[in-house]
């Protein structure tokens, strides 16, 4: 029997209702880390856990290659310059200046939209490296290129048992600039 025959043949007409089943969609997202943008920071999750350990102790650090002396950010496990893997952690300055900045006003995922937009993101020039980070304690209109900013550490209140931290910056208080 061909496909065409089947449609012409009354004996195979559908005589039975298809099975139906009701399914539901979740009313809330149950995946606990779906909106969690922070890395798991322990040695069983990341090979740059020393960076987070140092940050937890109040130090902003990164890796330097012992073969070619290149300083990287973010920290590496292999040097992108020379492919050496003999790296050490070195301290970075905690103060730098705004190299560029912008404001995030929207476009955040559901659940974060009302969190605290707008906020400022910036490229901070620390001297040895430039890195991008959020800037707290100021609006976009408060800031100018070259403004001094200082390290701020946030402790992440998130859905893991691990104590996690991350780096941000904030303006150096008036009269406190080096
Ligand atoms: Zn290197």
């Amino acid at each position: 029997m061909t496909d065409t025959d089947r449609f012409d043949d009354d004996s195979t007409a559908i005589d039975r209702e298809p099975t139906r089943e009701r399914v539901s969609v979740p009313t809330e997202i149950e995946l606990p880390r779906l909106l969690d943008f922070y890395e798991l920071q322990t040695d069983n999750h990341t090979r740059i856990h020393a960076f987070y350990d140092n940050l937890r102790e109040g130090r902003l650090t990164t890796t330097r290659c012992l073969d070619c002396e290149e300083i990287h950010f973010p920290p590496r496990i292999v040097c992108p310059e020379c492919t050496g893997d003999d790296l050490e952690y070195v301290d970075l300055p905690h103060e730098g200046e705004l190299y560029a900045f912008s404001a995030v006003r929207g476009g955040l995922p559901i659940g974060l939209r009302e969190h605290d937009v707008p906020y400022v993101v910036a490229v901070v020039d620390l001297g040895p490296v430039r890195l991008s980070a959020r800037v707290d304690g100021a609006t976009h209109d408060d800031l100018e290129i070259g403004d001094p900013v200082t390290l701020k550490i946030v402790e992440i209140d998130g859905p893991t048992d691990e104590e996690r931290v991350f780096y941000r910056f904030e303006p150096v208080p008036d009269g406190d600039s080096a």
Side-chain angles (χ1 to χ4, degrees), residues 97-102 122-123 125 140 142-148:
E97 43 183 64
L98 289 182
Y99 181 78
F101 63 95
S102 184
V123 177
D125 189 347
H140 181 271
D142 295 335
L143 299 170
E144 289 182 26
I145 300 290
D147 278 356

Side-chain angles (χ1 to χ4, degrees), residues 38-41 49-59 152-157 160 162-168:
Y38 296 101
E39 188 170 32
L40 294 172
Q41 298 176 351
H49 58 90
F51 170 77
Y52 296 109
D53 292 341
N54 293 336
L55 191 62
R56 213 169 280 118
E57 292 168 7
R59 294 165 55 213
K152 170 183 178 175
I153 297 172
V154 289
E155 293 168 358
I156 299 155
D157 187 15
T160 79
E162 297 163 10
E163 188 188 328
R164 295 187 297 163
V165 291
F166 209 68
Y167 55 93
R168 294 183 184 178

Side-chain angles (χ1 to χ4, degrees), residues 123-135:
V123 177
V124 175
D125 189 347
L126 290 176
V129 295
R130 288 180 190 143
L131 53 83
S132 62
R134 178 166 158 158
V135 174

Side-chain angles (χ1 to χ4, degrees), residues 64-70 72 78-87:
R64 177 171 64 191
C65 177
L66 289 170
D67 292 328
C68 77
E69 313 241 306
E70 180 81 5
H72 331 101
V78 171
C79 176
E81 286 297 310
C82 75
T83 72
D85 61 359
D86 202 4
L87 311 180

